Amino acid sequence: MVIEGQLGFIPQSELMRVLTPATTQLAQCYNDRLTERPYLAGRIELKFRIARDGAVRWVIPLHSTIGDRDTERCMLERAASL
């Protein structure tokens, strides 16, 4: 995981408090699709914009090799709800 800050700073401990449990939620998107797409593989890199109150303003995929739009969409929706 890479953390960059251009407009402000969020302590890594705060990010990890939210992102560590979210890993399970994001992985569930992948696992749910495996029954329909047993060949599913790859990785996705997400970019977040976080508001001052800590809410996710937006999230976009920077790069993905997953190759399944439904899986990617699920991951983006779950990431946006953090």
Side-chain angles (χ1 to χ4, degrees):
M1 180 181 320
V2 176
I3 301 168
E4 287 182 11
Q6 294 178 345
L7 301 176
F9 177 77
I10 299 173
Q12 185 171 353
S13 60
E14 286 299 307
L15 290 170
M16 297 310 292
R17 184 180 60 79
V18 174
L19 294 178
T20 298
T23 303
T24 303
Q25 295 175 30
L26 298 174
Q28 192 61 48
C29 293
Y30 172 84
N31 292 331
D32 289 347
R33 293 288 290 164
L34 277 178
T35 54
E36 291 182 42
R37 306 278 192 262
Y39 55 82
L40 195 61
R43 67 186 287 269
I44 189 167
E45 183 179 339
L46 303 175
K47 180 175 184 172
F48 292 80
R49 174 62 56 97
I50 309 297
R52 288 186 184 270
D53 66 359
V56 176
R57 291 188 66 191
W58 50 257
V59 58
I60 59 170
L62 287 181
H63 185 289
S64 177
T65 60
I66 293 174
D68 182 62
R69 184 64 185 134
D70 289 336
T71 302
E72 294 168 348
R73 183 179 300 114
C74 176
M75 289 178 166
L76 286 170
E77 288 171 359
R78 291 193 183 183
S81 69
L82 297 175

